[in-house]
Amino acid sequence: AWIEQGHGFIVLTDAWIALQELDSQAWDERQFSVASENQFGNGAGIYWRGLPSAGNFEQTVNVVPRFDKDATNAEKANFLRTFQIESEATWVEVPEAIYTSSQGKSFPVRLLANGLAPGLHETRVLLWDVDKPRTLGADVIIPVTVVVPRVADVEDATVHDSFAMDASSLVRRFFSVPYGATHATIQVT
């Protein structure tokens, strides 16, 4: 997954073609601020370690264009963008499109967490300017990361799990710590 190892190397020929296409376009290099309130404060994406509820839930994302300090009021008043919104995963639902003025726009992102298995789940929400060709890439990329922990048995506060590992493999497990727990016993065989 891209979140574990980064986005990878650049393919130079594809990058060169994209740069040539960018050069031929008359486009605004506007940047956008993204804010979403998470359990640890405001972030530039949606991050949940554990889930706020047992079912599906909504998270509000705010997208605001950035302007230079010397931007005129006329420039700000004339700013209007329409974005087509797309989620890369079926467990994240987004509106079809939004528009934003210089004041920004908030929109809901619905996380269908009911069917997620314990573990790390990551995806992205992409905002595409409808007036630009898609080959230029998404204007705004919002990461969505949800960690669904394994929950201990209520009776004896244990979690049983088994898996095989190779010499260089990486296996991650996330646990919800039972209330009042003071230690953990891990058995490796």
Side-chain angles (χ1 to χ4, degrees):
W2 63 268
I3 196 168
E4 293 176 348
Q5 57 188 342
H7 290 285
F9 290 104
I10 253 182
V11 178
L12 194 55
T13 54
D14 293 345
W16 181 250
I17 292 168
L19 284 172
Q20 288 175 321
E21 187 170 340
L22 282 172
D23 188 45
S24 69
Q25 299 288 325
W27 59 287
D28 183 10
E29 292 187 51
R30 178 88 43 220
Q31 292 188 349
F32 293 83
S33 295
V34 176
S36 181
E37 190 171 332
N38 298 296
Q39 66 195 115
F40 303 111
N42 275 336
I46 299 173
Y47 304 98
W48 283 100
R49 185 181 306 166
L51 298 173
S53 68
N56 302 332
F57 62 97
E58 280 191 4
Q59 181 82 30
T60 301
V61 174
N62 190 32
V63 177
V64 180
R66 293 184 192 163
F67 290 90
D68 293 331
K69 291 180 182 178
D70 59 346
T72 65
N73 286 337
E75 181 184 352
K76 292 177 184 178
N78 288 330
F79 182 84
L80 181 66
R81 290 276 173 86
T82 303
F83 289 112
Q84 183 179 10
I85 307 176
E86 175 183 307
S87 169
E88 292 184 327
T90 57
W91 54 272
V92 177
E93 291 180 347
V94 292
E96 189 174 317
I98 61 165
Y99 72 91
T100 182
S101 66
S102 62
Q103 299 301 307
K105 182 73 173 181
S106 294
F107 64 94
V109 175
R110 185 164 174 76
L111 301 174
L112 307 177
N114 273 349
L116 295 179
L120 175 67
H121 303 274
E122 73 277 346
T123 188
R124 302 181 305 173
V125 172
L126 308 173
L127 278 68
W128 302 87
D129 188 330
V130 297
D131 295 327
K132 293 181 187 177
R134 280 210 166 208
T135 54
L136 295 179
D139 284 68
V140 180
I141 299 173
I142 303 166
V144 179
T145 305
V146 175
V147 174
V148 179
R150 294 177 183 274
V151 179
D153 290 334
V154 177
E155 294 176 15
D156 59 359
T158 61
V159 177
H160 298 279
D161 191 9
S162 63
F163 51 89
M165 293 180 64
D166 294 330
S168 64
S169 63
L170 173 66
V171 177
R172 292 188 174 128
R173 294 292 191 257
F174 303 93
F175 300 98
S176 179
V177 178
Y179 179 76
T182 58
H183 70 278
T185 303
I186 300 172
Q187 182 179 354
V188 179
T189 57

